[in-house]
Amino acid sequence: MNEGIVKILGIESSCDDTAAAVTRNQLLLSTVIAGQQVHKDYGGVVPELASRAHQQNIVPVVDAALKKAGIKKEELNAIAFTRGPGLMGSLLVGTSFAKAMSMALNIPLIEINHLQAHILAHFIESPGEPYRCPSFPFLCLTVSGGHTQIVMVKAYNDMEIIGQTHDDAAGEAFDKAAKIMGLPYPGGPLVDKFAKEGNPLAFKFPEPKIPGLDFSFSGLKTSFLYLIRDEVAKNESFIAERKLDLCASFQKCVIDVLMHKLKMATKSTGIKEIAIAGGVSANSGLRAVLKDSAEELGWNIYIPKMEYCTDNAAMIAIAGYFKYLNKDFASIDAIPLARYTF
Ligand code: KG4
Ligand code: ZN
């Protein structure tokens, strides 16, 4: 085996995407994702259906990732898997598969915190593309369907949460607003699309009053719901007529809240290396506002490639690589953690 070359298989199954990826050191060799269409009609992920779909998809997805990477499973140095946070039934599929494969190949097993992996996605080297990554310490705004956090990242394996949501996550707020308007799950990308053509100042929503660097989005969701309820009572076609403005105004409010807290965090820490991560970092409005703030405030900003924003296994493999270097291996009796803080 070539010393200094580390090939890792990453496996992600925390929510509704079954994903596998292979890295050689920081270079991404392959990434494969099987999404799940079964949840579309339910307005959210149905845990039972998600576990079943993972069970169906995991073998072909891992197989495809190895084939695309052009490597045999015997060449792998370790298997990294998402231990949590996430849906227990979904996590169990990836965890059990990873354990079985590491035992069969007699190679180390590495457990990964999904949220730390979202942050470490910034260190993925994509073939043929320039590599640019944040320097330590940096701040990362992690905004996904399940979490909203500001994290101080001191090293690959040393992170501290300095702010987080008390209730809904930013992605969840997007999805719930979309559901109220009758849009399918996940609503975030659709709200983003419609917002581009709407007036962000058409409707006003109260900014939550949460002290420090923490967030709250449940009040915003409720005031959005009440606005729609009251207006639809007067005019049945209100949603259809004002969908673009509703999306633009709602999105602006979420972005204002996120940016307000991020600015506070850079002030209180003095850190100007700023990254974003997680599904909502794919939002075009957030990306644009972040770029403006960077110019105005002299921040260096790091925005992941779209495909590394939402759930994927490339980020699990890269997180596994840094743990591999520290020989930070998991025990074979590691259990998945639906809640997994750091
Ligand atoms: O990180 P992710 O793929 O899964 C979790 O770990 O939660 O994030 C999914 C979330 C969903 O709530 C989805 O609506 C949201 O990210 N999302 C977006 C956009 N793309 C995905 N929200 C707003 N604008 C987008 N373009
Ligand atoms: Zn995620």
Side-chain angles (χ1 to χ4, degrees), residues 114 118 144 311 315:
H114 178 89
H118 267 301
S144 73
D311 287 349
M315 67 186 198

Side-chain angles (χ1 to χ4, degrees), residues 113-124 133-134 136 138-143 149-156 158-161 275-278 302 304 308-309 315 318-319 322 342:
N113 180 301
H114 178 89
L115 293 163
Q116 292 188 330
H118 267 301
I119 296 172
L120 294 173
H122 286 280
F123 298 94
I124 299 169
C133 66
F136 301 114
F138 66 92
L139 294 180
C140 188
L141 174 69
T142 310
V143 269
Q149 302 178 331
I150 300 178
V151 180
M152 181 162 5
V153 188
K154 300 170 206 164
Y156 299 116
D158 185 5
M159 306 185 190
E160 185 191 340
I161 300 167
I276 53 172
Y302 302 87
Y308 306 149
C309 288
M315 67 186 198
I318 197 84
F322 295 119
F342 55 89

Side-chain angles (χ1 to χ4, degrees), residues 1 13 46 84 90 93-94 105 114 128 136 161 166 170 226 238 249 251 269 285 319-320 327 337:
M1 203 170 287
S13 74
V46 184
S90 291
V93 177
L105 295 170
H114 178 89
F136 301 114
I161 300 167
H166 288 196
Y226 287 172
F238 173 73
S249 303
Q251 177 169 302
T269 60
K327 296 203 171 12
L337 299 170

Side-chain angles (χ1 to χ4, degrees), residues 124-194:
I124 299 169
E125 283 179 31
S126 301
E129 287 179 28
Y131 175 67
R132 180 177 171 267
C133 66
S135 339
F136 301 114
F138 66 92
L139 294 180
C140 188
L141 174 69
T142 310
V143 269
S144 73
H147 296 84
T148 297
Q149 302 178 331
I150 300 178
V151 180
M152 181 162 5
V153 188
K154 300 170 206 164
Y156 299 116
N157 298 315
D158 185 5
M159 306 185 190
E160 185 191 340
I161 300 167
I162 57 172
Q164 59 191 320
T165 182
H166 288 196
D167 41 58
D168 291 351
E172 198 176 354
F174 271 105
D175 295 338
K176 286 181 176 170
K179 191 176 177 186
I180 294 168
M181 291 184 284
L183 299 173
Y185 176 85
L190 285 171
V191 173
D192 186 0
K193 186 175 145 210
F194 293 133

